Amino acid sequence: MNSFLKRLLGVIPVVFGVLLLTFLLVHLVPGDPVEVMLGESATTADRTQLRAELGLDQPLPIQFVTYLGKLAQGNFGYSIHTHTPISRLLAERLPATVELALLALSIALFIGLPLGIVAAIRYRQWPDKMATVSALTLSAMPHFWLGPLLMLVFALWLGWLPVNGMESRASIVLPALTLACGLTAILTRMTRASLLEVLSEDFVRTARAKGLSQRVVVLRHALKAALLPVVTIVGLQLGSLLAGAVITETVFGWDGVGRLLVESIEKRDYPVTQACVLVIALIYVLVNLLTDLTYARLDPRVRFTR
Amino acid sequence: MPEHRSTASIVTCVKAFLLLAMVGLAACGKPATHDEIRFAIAQAPLTLDPRYATDAASERVNRLIYHQLVDFDVHYRPVPSLATWICSDARHCRFSLKTDGRTFHDGSRLTAEDVVATYRSLLELKDSPHTAEFANISDVLAVDADTVDFTLKHADDQFPARLIIGILPARLLAQAHDFSHHPIGSGPLKFVAWNRALQLQRVSDGQRFVLQEVRDPTVRVLKLLRGEADMLQGDLPPELVVYLKRQPSIVVKEVPGTNDSYLGFNMQDLVLRDVRVRRAITLSIDRDAIIHQAMIGGTRPATAILPPEHWAGNPNLKPYPHDPKEARRLLTEAGIRLPLKLVYKTSTDAQRVRLATIMQAQMQQAGIDLEIRSLDWGTFFDDVKHGKFQLYGLTWVGIKTPEIYRLAFHSASVPPAGANRGRVADEILDREIERGDWSAATARIHELLPYVPLWYEGQFLAMQAGFAGDHLSPDGNWDWMQTFRRKLK
């Protein structure tokens, strides 16, 4: 438990670093939110006044400290453009991203793991070749291309699913499939490679020598050991999915965190950008922590050292 | 054999999943029938509070939710909308509210107090982009329930044309009501809800509209083709418009546009400050070829920001021809060693980049080596405002009054004081603008060439067959929503 707490505390400097870096980057890129808000006909006095009201006339270190102070009170601030509390924006967008990420991951696991297992069992036979070619093809498809392609096939030609939006439950299928395709490919290849390695180890040979069936050898003994690298990949991929699949969310009009982040960058809405990046960083760090914990559960040899 | 069995069971599971998925997907079926008219838009409005709106989508929606005192006729002369007016001199105007359009969507009556409260609140706001436009108002007073007097600090004979801000209820203004998300106006359409899509309802007959943001142009087209959207307007690359025209289930209406796309020069640049160089660049562009090959129908060559049919337009201006030989000669005469290397900045919009590439190829014939830099919007616009460019491309959208010439070309309007992004400084032009002699000012601009007016991009509305209505506007507004309806079967 102590070592877990230690790892949890280790998250703090990471998050602080992310905050500092985001703050600096956001303030150093060209574009002044005051000019965006007031337009080109405002007087210099108006700009100066608004800049002072927003605290943008203060030196960057003071702005950063003020920002940290508000964050410590759980106050993300307000959107410069819509005057909406950022916590409300995040509360609206985060569930959509989580829902999409979990479904994409489930699809990828449901297809990728069995495919990888079949490919490993049928090494160099037609199922293996098919799985390998499919995985390669899927991983070569960028989301901005695959998304419209799926829309064309499933929405326009077959008429099974809506093109985009979030109006019906079925709307989630195409963006989830788009995200799942690349992930399925990675999982298939990783499961196959890992299982092939494990299947040639001594303990598997021993299990077979004991007369255990192929099903028991693979599913009970080999697979558990082979899943370790797969878990790492799943953790990392889930982190990036939860961080907002920017392109997929934009193409499919999915109101998630990724889309909110892009919109805020376009409008130079500093507080929203900073809040989004902070939330994304936190998600990444927490998911990775969870992955480490899962690792320890799967393999008794892996333990957090004191 | 057991090996085969385990493989077979896994394959069976996957097959079963795929079968279930297909059955499930097929069950989703075609979009349900509906009564509302669904409009796919490229960009959702940022705010429904007219005091803050500057983006095109917000202004187009706010025109429909709120009534404004003044509107414009086909020649862009100000005409009464909510009120008629008489100006006793250039500093005093009296507005008399008409009888129609005076019921707010919450049932209360629009009075002179609401007009006063709206404009006073605008003057008090510190973060409104419109406050500066009304800084000349010295006082606004309700004479009675139907009459409002405006007094100005300085003479302004264009003043009535500025009063195009939607009128808000005074009672709600006093309560600091959130108009940006829950607007209450007195316009032809009332606000219903704004969750993922903006829902509006026509007051006259209850017809509902759903405005859904779909950023990707290809996806907008797919939604229209599948029947998930009933209509879309503008913001499509020309090839997609051509594709839509070929679809039997889709009707495309096109009208000539008025939004001027232009090529801006940096007049402080060592090379570009020579008018011969600017003229050479202008002569090197074959606008007719671009309009015919790469623009949508209704696009026409431009000679000034305001089109010739505008009351302050100048129909006598002749477009510069395409003459690469003369362009080359002018550059040589200006002492330029060819090829002349120039940098052109534009946004990342695919159509903008495509047009830049075409111009790059055309300019090559005149000995100009154009380097294209495509930047994200924030960076690009910031560079333009700070004069960090040689050439750039932009469009003036929704311009109604000749005041634009003061904002864009007067020497006192260099950013941040205005939009003189090319840093033009010409005493004669300044005087003509100050005199309000727009014919002379546009002729002077045409001669000086601080920018190249390229074209007024055509407007189009693509819709499912089976709708009736009119009002497709040259400036791309959404006033057609006041009349569009489904045809009876």
Side-chain angles (χ1 to χ4, degrees):
Chain A
M1 197 60 192
N2 277 346
S3 50
F4 171 70
L5 279 177
K6 224 165 152 182
R7 286 188 68 90
L8 205 59
L9 285 175
V11 167
I12 294 172
V14 175
V15 172
F16 181 81
V18 168
L19 277 173
L20 183 63
L21 209 63
T22 316
F23 182 85
L24 288 175
L25 282 175
V26 160
H27 283 76
L28 293 179
V29 292
D32 180 356
V34 171
E35 287 187 12
V36 175
M37 288 168 77
L38 291 185
E40 291 178 292
S41 53
T43 62
T44 308
D46 292 338
R47 290 171 207 277
T48 310
Q49 192 175 357
L50 183 59
R51 198 164 277 122
E53 278 180 20
L54 294 172
L56 295 171
D57 60 335
Q58 300 289 324
L60 277 186
I62 293 178
Q63 286 188 49
F64 184 60
V65 171
T66 312
Y67 172 58
L68 286 185
K70 285 181 182 168
L71 268 187
Q73 297 164 33
N75 179 6
F76 282 108
Y78 289 81
S79 158
I80 286 177
H81 292 284
T82 61
H83 307 280
T84 315
I86 295 169
S87 48
R88 197 171 95 191
L89 287 176
L90 287 170
E92 282 169 6
R93 302 290 189 106
L94 204 53
T97 295
V98 171
E99 197 182 3
L100 183 62
L102 291 181
L103 183 62
L105 186 66
S106 308
I107 295 173
L109 282 171
F110 198 83
I111 300 173
L113 279 183
L115 265 184
I117 296 168
V118 171
I121 296 171
R122 299 302 199 137
Y123 181 54
R124 287 193 177 168
Q125 294 174 36
W126 70 264
D128 178 31
K129 285 176 186 163
M130 266 192 69
T132 309
V133 170
S134 310
L136 267 175
T137 312
L138 288 178
S139 57
M141 292 178 179
H143 291 171
F144 66 81
W145 180 80
L146 182 61
L149 184 74
L150 290 177
M151 285 177 193
L152 198 66
V153 176
F154 289 100
L156 207 64
W157 292 348
L158 298 174
W160 289 354
L161 290 164
V163 174
N164 88 336
M166 297 175 77
E167 289 83 21
S168 68
R169 293 302 304 161
S171 306
I172 198 172
V173 178
L174 287 185
L177 271 181
T178 306
L179 286 174
C181 279
L183 190 52
T184 304
I186 296 170
L187 286 177
T188 305
R189 288 168 64 81
M190 188 55 78
T191 309
R192 174 186 175 273
S194 182
L195 194 58
L196 274 177
E197 200 181 317
V198 171
L199 285 174
S200 63
E201 286 190 16
D202 289 344
F203 77 92
V204 175
R205 206 171 302 124
T206 309
R208 281 187 174 137
K210 281 162 66 183
L212 296 177
S213 69
Q214 171 76 348
R215 181 194 297 247
V216 174
V217 170
V218 172
L219 296 181
R220 282 211 195 140
H221 296 272
L223 191 58
K224 193 172 175 187
L227 277 182
L228 284 174
V230 179
V231 168
T232 311
I233 291 293
V234 168
L236 286 173
Q237 292 296 325
L238 180 62
S240 35
L241 287 177
L242 287 172
V246 175
I247 293 171
T248 309
E249 285 185 0
T250 305
V251 169
F252 286 96
W254 194 259
D255 287 334
V257 175
R259 201 169 165 207
L260 180 66
L261 176 63
V262 172
E263 287 167 3
S264 71
I265 293 171
E266 282 173 357
K267 293 174 204 157
R268 297 298 187 262
D269 201 340
Y270 291 164
V272 178
T273 307
Q274 284 167 192
C276 285
V277 175
L278 174 64
V279 167
I280 286 169
L282 279 174
I283 290 173
Y284 239 106
V285 169
L286 289 175
V287 168
N288 273 295
L289 194 63
L290 282 173
T291 311
D292 286 354
L293 292 173
T294 316
Y295 227 94
R297 288 286 287 188
L298 278 173
D299 188 348
R301 292 169 302 177
V302 181
R303 286 285 182 266
F304 295 129
T305 50
R306 282 178 190 276
Chain B
M1 283 313 276
E3 191 175 310
H4 282 280
R5 272 212 305 275
S6 65
T7 310
S9 60
I10 292 168
V11 171
T12 310
C13 278
V14 173
K15 274 182 184 170
F17 167 75
L18 291 175
L19 190 68
L20 276 173
M22 285 174 75
V23 171
L25 296 184
C28 297
K30 286 271 177 193
T33 53
H34 53 273
D35 294 325
E36 74 269 13
I37 296 176
R38 295 155 311 168
F39 180 28
I41 52 179
Q43 177 92 47
L46 289 178
T47 173
L48 300 181
D49 187 336
R51 297 170 301 166
Y52 288 98
T54 51
D55 60 296
S58 301
E59 291 192 345
R60 286 167 182 168
V61 170
N62 288 336
R63 263 181 73 78
L64 298 165
I65 296 177
Y66 302 93
H67 262 132
Q68 51 201 42
L69 292 180
V70 175
D71 208 345
F72 297 94
D73 67 9
V74 288
H75 299 294
Y76 298 92
R77 290 185 190 282
V79 291
S81 175
L82 194 56
T84 57
W85 68 89
I86 295 171
C87 292
S88 54
D89 57 46
R91 285 189 54 230
H92 298 91
C93 290
R94 170 162 289 188
F95 285 76
S96 303
L97 297 178
K98 298 198 298 187
T99 50
D100 50 335
R102 289 187 56 184
T103 308
F104 282 116
H105 300 144
D106 63 356
S108 59
R109 185 163 171 75
L110 190 157
T111 68
E113 287 300 340
D114 299 307
V115 178
V116 171
T118 300
Y119 280 96
R120 280 196 180 153
S121 84
L122 253 176
L123 293 173
E124 285 162 9
L125 288 173
K126 301 287 180 244
D127 55 351
S128 163
H130 298 297
T131 301
E133 293 167 35
F134 298 101
N136 192 25
I137 295 177
S138 157
D139 202 6
V140 49
L141 275 175
V143 179
D144 56 44
D146 303 321
T147 315
V148 183
D149 277 355
F150 282 89
T151 306
L152 307 182
K153 294 171 189 166
H154 314 289
D156 179 6
D157 51 10
Q158 300 293 318
F159 179 69
R162 299 183 199 282
L163 301 183
I164 50 171
I165 295 288
I167 303 301
L168 311 167
R171 180 178 58 83
L172 294 178
L173 278 170
Q175 295 167 9
H177 178 79
D178 177 14
F179 287 98
S180 62
H181 297 96
H182 302 283
I184 292 177
S186 61
L189 269 73
K190 70 176 178 184
F191 172 81
V192 176
W194 193 7
N195 298 315
R196 291 194 175 107
L198 174 62
Q199 294 177 50
L200 302 170
Q201 186 174 34
R202 196 155 57 207
V203 175
S204 61
D205 61 0
Q207 173 63 56
R208 281 202 180 216
F209 291 88
V210 178
L211 280 66
Q212 189 190 7
E213 184 187 60
V214 185
R215 289 194 153 208
D216 190 287
T218 311
V219 179
R220 277 200 301 283
V221 169
L222 288 175
K223 280 181 89 74
L224 185 69
L225 291 175
R226 190 176 183 259
E228 281 178 37
D230 295 310
M231 46 192 54
L232 53 89
Q233 181 184 336
D235 295 314
L236 282 189
E239 68 273 15
L240 283 178
V241 180
V242 171
Y243 174 74
L244 283 175
K245 279 185 189 169
R246 287 202 300 260
Q247 306 306 310
S249 61
I250 304 296
V251 176
V252 178
K253 286 188 175 183
E254 290 173 323
V255 295
T258 55
N259 296 330
D260 174 34
S261 293
Y262 66 95
L263 185 86
F265 294 123
N266 188 338
M267 301 284 277
Q268 290 178 337
D269 184 86
L270 288 176
V271 177
L272 294 170
R273 65 184 177 193
D274 187 332
V275 71
R276 289 171 297 185
V277 176
R278 299 198 297 276
R279 195 162 290 149
I281 293 170
T282 310
L283 292 172
S284 71
I285 302 170
D286 186 353
R287 285 182 299 175
D288 289 336
I290 296 175
I291 289 170
H292 285 113
Q293 300 298 327
M295 304 296 292
I296 63 164
T299 303
R300 55 192 168 138
T303 49
I305 296 179
L306 298 174
E309 66 270 20
H310 193 286
W311 68 266
N314 189 342
N316 300 321
L317 299 178
K318 295 281 173 279
Y320 283 89
H322 174 229
D323 191 345
K325 274 187 192 165
E326 175 63 6
R328 204 175 260 271
R329 191 194 66 74
L330 280 169
L331 289 176
T332 314
E333 187 186 299
I336 303 288
R337 207 169 66 185
L338 300 181
L340 167 63
K341 287 183 183 297
L342 291 170
V343 174
Y344 175 87
K345 289 190 176 179
T346 184
S347 68
T348 50
D349 179 87
Q351 174 72 353
R352 296 262 178 213
V353 176
R354 179 189 303 174
L355 294 173
T357 313
I358 297 172
M359 286 193 275
Q360 181 186 46
Q362 291 180 345
M363 285 185 195
Q364 221 162 21
Q365 295 172 28
I368 299 165
D369 182 3
L370 192 70
E371 181 192 334
I372 299 167
R373 288 197 197 152
S374 132
L375 308 164
D376 91 281
W377 173 255
T379 308
F380 165 60
F381 199 46
D382 200 63
D383 278 3
V384 168
K385 282 191 289 192
H386 288 95
K388 293 184 205 162
F389 64 86
Q390 281 188 299
L391 289 94
Y392 72 95
L394 269 176
T395 301
W396 288 109
V397 178
I399 303 300
K400 297 286 196 297
T401 69
E403 275 301 297
I404 185 64
Y405 293 120
R406 181 188 299 274
L407 187 73
F409 299 115
H410 195 284
S411 59
S413 298
V414 171
N420 182 355
R421 298 153 183 164
R423 275 71 182 162
V424 189
D426 182 68
E427 283 180 17
I428 299 171
L429 179 57
D430 284 354
R431 275 201 301 274
E432 283 160 354
I433 289 172
E434 282 156 18
R435 276 208 313 269
D437 186 348
W438 306 119
S439 180
T442 47
R444 180 71 183 161
I445 293 166
H446 196 66
E447 183 190 331
L448 278 178
L449 274 175
Y451 84 127
V452 187
L454 294 171
W455 45 72
Y456 304 111
E457 193 169 341
Q459 297 289 335
F460 74 91
L461 183 66
M463 65 193 127
Q464 306 281 350
F467 285 91
D470 50 17
H471 281 313
L472 182 56
S473 167
D475 69 355
N477 70 37
W478 298 339
D479 286 5
W480 51 263
M481 289 166 77
Q482 295 181 43
T483 55
F484 253 70
R485 59 184 167 74
R486 286 177 198 283
K487 284 180 194 162
L488 290 175
K489 283 180 186 171

